[in-house]
Amino acid sequence: MTRRTRNWLLLAPAGTWFLVMLIIPLTVVFIFSFGERAPAGGVVPAFTFEQYANLPARWAAFKNTMTLAPIGTLSALLIAYPLAYYLAVKSSPKWKTILLVLVIVPFWTSILIRSYAWIFLLGGRGIPALLELVGIEGVRLINTPFAVLVGIIYGYLPLMVFPIYVSLDKLDKRLLEASSDLGAKPWRTFLQITLPLSIPGIATGCMLVFILLMGEYLIPALLGGGKVFFVGNALVDLFLQSRNWAYGSAVAVTLVVVMLITVTVYMRLINRLGASREDVSIM
Amino acid sequence: MRLYAVCVYLFLYIPIGVIALFSFNAGRHASQLQGFSTKWYGKALSNPFVMDALETSLIVAFTSALCASVFGTMAAVALQGIKGPIRAAFDLLIYVAVMIPGIVIGIATLIGLVTVFDQLNPLIAAIWPNGFTPPKLRMGMGSLIAAHTMFLMALVVIIVRARLAGMDRALTEASSDLYATPMATFRQVTLPIISPAILAGFLLSFTFSFDDFIIAFFVAGSETTLPIYVFSSIRRGVTPEINAIGTMVLVVSLLMLITAQLLLQRGGKKQNDSR
């Protein structure tokens, strides 16, 4: 058996699987998005942009996603950065690994159960009840944008901490010493050395979290109580309740396209940021 | 700084702790502590719906993690020795599988398979011998396993490839210089080095499949997995039983994760020692 045939045989199962379970289904979604709704709930083959023209009917879902996803990503970044900094720069080597594992572990456990925990905490007998004990009454937390935001931060914080930690950990600590030896104040060292050198980690973390948030369904469904809904919630409604496959496909295609555009623009910006800094450092 | 870190860890672990605490609550109400009891665990474990869902979840997680580990490893090994368009195509496939939101994968699998099944079912009925009821293809455990395997394969390829890339080339070269057949080189040199990564990939895949809600929600047909059961119970209201199930699910994932982590670490150490 030649090397070539061997490689082909090794790749065949995975290749076939990707073709049947990824490429064909995604193509069907793309084709259906130009179709018309059949009375029974399926799709009548057609070539029309009607579904796309109807997209404004689900504008609220897109608007919520495109506001809460960036806000959630930024909040997670603001909370994650100091922790990643602490882990990479300040914590003792003995504790480092275990502390890092403790951050990542929640990400790999059920997001369903973890979001459920917040229904419990934010619900009427949770934190609002505790607040009543100290005299603050009538606070409503569950089923608000705030609840969804808390769920998002809670769910995706680990994913943000990890890449930032990696970039801060790689950072040559001698640079920090050199900076302070040359008389720079700590905050100046941070702004001019630590922060710029951790931009790749920040960029990766933000992109990972943002991509996952764009397709989020569970957190708004559980903590938003039908008032704060994402595109994911609209998709579940369109495919599983009203069975409008053609329109649902158009919404799904739009979601993926918006995601790709955002990520591409974002990568360009980050690259440009990196490039312009290199120019400066050459000078 | 340390205080801040402590606060973030509390934020991460208090909600999980509260769930675990309340799962041992003796009281009827989900949110008032009234003494210690394990009765909710007993109740959950004797609920036929929970046990059915658990069985489905375990079968799906085991089968798809196994398929993903085998096919993913095969692909990763082959990709190691390939350049050019095929490698680029696979890189793209893996990127797409990981990038596309789970919900879109679920939707695409649902309408893609239903459409294909609608075409195939009459065909099968036509060629089936008279007198027997022809099998009918429909959404269920099979389609769920297929969908999970697709996504998890991408994950396994990424993990195994990382280990292969870190492997010392000289080892396989030495083996073939000593006239070992490619198969012998693979079995005696490559496989021992990448096996911790494969096993870790299997465990992570198992955890992912076991915890997945969104793909299963679309693809499982009339089957109920444990996350689907939990989700629909939450919709009906918060009960101590869900706390007990949730705690058990968390403990299972934790055990898997710790094992995977230990494997990856030990594998890494061994490899460094051998150099």
Side-chain angles (χ1 to χ4, degrees), chain A residues 6-8 10-11 13-15 17-18 21-23 25-26 29 32 78-79 82-83 85-87 97 99 102-103 105-106 108-110 112-113 116-121 125 154 157 211 215 217-218 221-222 232 235-236 239-240 245 249 259-260, chain B residues 1-2 4-5 8-9 11-13 15-16 18-19 22 29-31 71 74-75 78 82 86 90 93 99 101 103 107-109 111 114-115 146-147 149-150 153 182 207 211 213-214 217-218 227 231 234-235 238-239 242-243 246 250 254 257 265:
Chain A
R6 202 178 63 232
N7 280 339
W8 272 105
L10 286 173
L11 284 174
W17 214 296
F18 278 128
M21 296 304 296
L22 185 68
I23 302 304
L26 287 177
V29 171
F32 276 14
L78 289 178
I79 296 175
L83 182 68
Y85 184 82
Y86 175 79
L87 289 176
T97 317
L99 285 176
L102 278 176
V103 175
V105 156
W108 277 97
T109 59
S110 167
L112 174 65
I113 307 290
Y116 162 74
W118 283 100
I119 300 188
F120 207 73
L121 287 172
R125 293 196 206 145
Y154 185 65
L157 191 64
I211 287 175
Y217 164 75
L218 268 179
L222 292 176
L235 285 172
V236 167
F239 279 95
L240 297 181
W245 285 11
S249 297
M259 205 179 88
L260 287 179
Chain B
M1 205 68 196
R2 180 171 292 172
Y4 178 82
V8 177
Y9 282 101
F11 172 69
L12 282 175
Y13 283 92
I16 297 175
V18 167
I19 292 287
F22 276 85
H29 281 290
S31 45
F71 298 143
M74 283 164 62
I82 288 187
I86 296 170
F90 263 86
L93 282 174
M99 268 276 286
I103 192 165
I107 287 167
T109 314
I111 67 174
V114 166
T115 309
T149 301
M150 190 281 294
M153 245 169 23
T207 317
D211 286 342
F213 167 76
I214 196 70
F217 197 37
F218 284 97
F231 180 77
I234 294 173
R235 280 277 160 109
V238 174
T239 65
I242 305 178
N243 293 337
L250 290 177
L254 278 181
L257 282 171
Q265 264 176 6

Side-chain angles (χ1 to χ4, degrees), chain A residues 9 23 33 50 83 99 102 118 125 164 199 225 246 263 273 280:
Chain A
L9 285 176
I23 302 304
S33 71
E50 198 186 315
L83 182 68
L99 285 176
L102 278 176
W118 283 100
R125 293 196 206 145
I164 300 178
I199 280 180
V263 170
L273 205 65
V280 174

